[in-house]
Amino acid sequence: MATARSIIWTKRIHVSESRAVVGKCHSHALAPQRRTLRCVLLRSRPDLRGEWEKDKQNSDLEAYGRMLSLIGLTGLKKTGALKLINGLVIEQNAQPPQLVVRYVVSRVQFLPQTLESFALDQQTQMPRRDGQPGSQTATLNEFENSIQTIITWGKPNPVSLTETYTVHHDFLTVLALVEAQHQTVTCKQVFKRTS
């Protein structure tokens, strides 16, 4: 019987200093008189640091299962993701602006390990989350009260996955929107801060 280990999905989110993002408006080359405003906006990003335990009672597990099916996870891989991902560990640094999100589970052979890296206003390439050959393209959007990642990949089973992270008191909400096979699934996962 396999020994339980940790680590499955890890997200690295790098926030560029070159632009400020407010809502859906991107500010290019900021004038000196606007630098103070820019700094205030960047400091207002949500504090996601800490350990987060999945709040299964307030998470939509049925929709999460449909989301996993739509992105192409089936069988033991889908069951493992549903049963074994129980929380997040998030690290957030100001200089350089960086966010690391780790999905920690018992390691078993049928669950793929994925490293996902994001940079503000840039496209990055990485292995597909569904474990299929090829790569996915990822981008990062930063808003005043949330951080949003967008992942897309092509055939087989082309997918667009948008995930938005927001914090309210000691609760983290991750809203996912998946589009694939002419279908759309939305899913809400809630996590409670434990440290």
Side-chain angles (χ1 to χ4, degrees):
M1 188 173 180
T3 302
R5 294 182 181 176
S6 65
I7 305 176
I8 172 168
W9 291 332
T10 301
K11 293 191 174 188
R12 294 185 184 276
I13 302 175
H14 303 277
V15 181
S16 169
E17 289 288 352
S18 62
R19 303 170 88 180
V21 182
V22 184
K24 295 186 178 180
C25 299
H26 296 251
S27 300
H28 300 269
L30 294 173
Q33 63 269 25
R34 299 179 62 190
R35 289 176 184 166
T36 301
L37 175 60
R38 174 177 180 269
C39 292
V40 170
L41 292 174
L42 288 177
R43 282 199 297 266
S44 68
R45 69 169 62 94
D47 183 4
L48 308 183
R49 294 172 298 175
E51 298 181 7
W52 304 86
E53 181 180 10
K54 192 165 188 176
D55 183 348
K56 294 184 178 181
Q57 183 176 355
N58 291 307
S59 297
D60 192 339
L61 299 181
E62 182 179 350
Y64 183 55
R66 294 198 305 271
M67 182 190 86
L68 295 175
S69 296
L70 198 56
I71 69 172
L73 291 184
T74 58
L76 292 178
K77 290 182 179 180
K78 177 181 175 181
T79 300
L82 279 169
K83 301 290 186 181
L84 300 177
I85 298 177
N86 296 314
L88 305 173
V89 177
I90 301 180
E91 301 171 10
Q92 190 172 14
N93 299 318
Q95 295 296 331
Q98 182 180 15
L99 188 72
V100 179
V101 182
R102 289 180 291 160
Y103 296 72
V104 182
V105 300
S106 297
R107 181 180 176 182
V108 285
Q109 291 182 343
F110 51 79
L111 280 176
Q113 296 185 56
T114 304
L115 173 66
E116 297 181 336
S117 300
F118 303 85
L120 188 65
D121 296 333
Q122 299 179 30
Q123 291 188 342
T124 55
Q125 302 288 323
M126 66 200 74
R128 291 167 56 137
R129 187 183 290 190
D130 64 355
Q132 293 290 333
S135 61
Q136 64 188 29
T137 299
T139 58
L140 169 70
N141 294 319
E142 186 183 58
F143 303 108
E144 186 173 357
N145 297 308
S146 65
I147 289 175
Q148 183 184 80
T149 61
I150 302 175
I151 296 172
T152 59
W153 64 72
K155 296 180 179 180
N157 189 34
V159 166
S160 173
L161 169 61
T162 301
E163 292 176 306
T164 304
Y165 298 78
T166 57
V167 174
H168 183 66
H169 298 302
D170 286 330
F171 288 89
L172 169 68
T173 299
V174 182
L175 292 176
L177 171 65
V178 182
E179 297 175 284
Q181 305 175 33
H182 306 291
Q183 300 179 54
T184 300
V185 171
T186 58
C187 170
K188 181 181 78 170
Q189 296 186 80
V190 179
F191 300 85
K192 180 176 175 57
R193 192 192 298 272
T194 58
S195 70

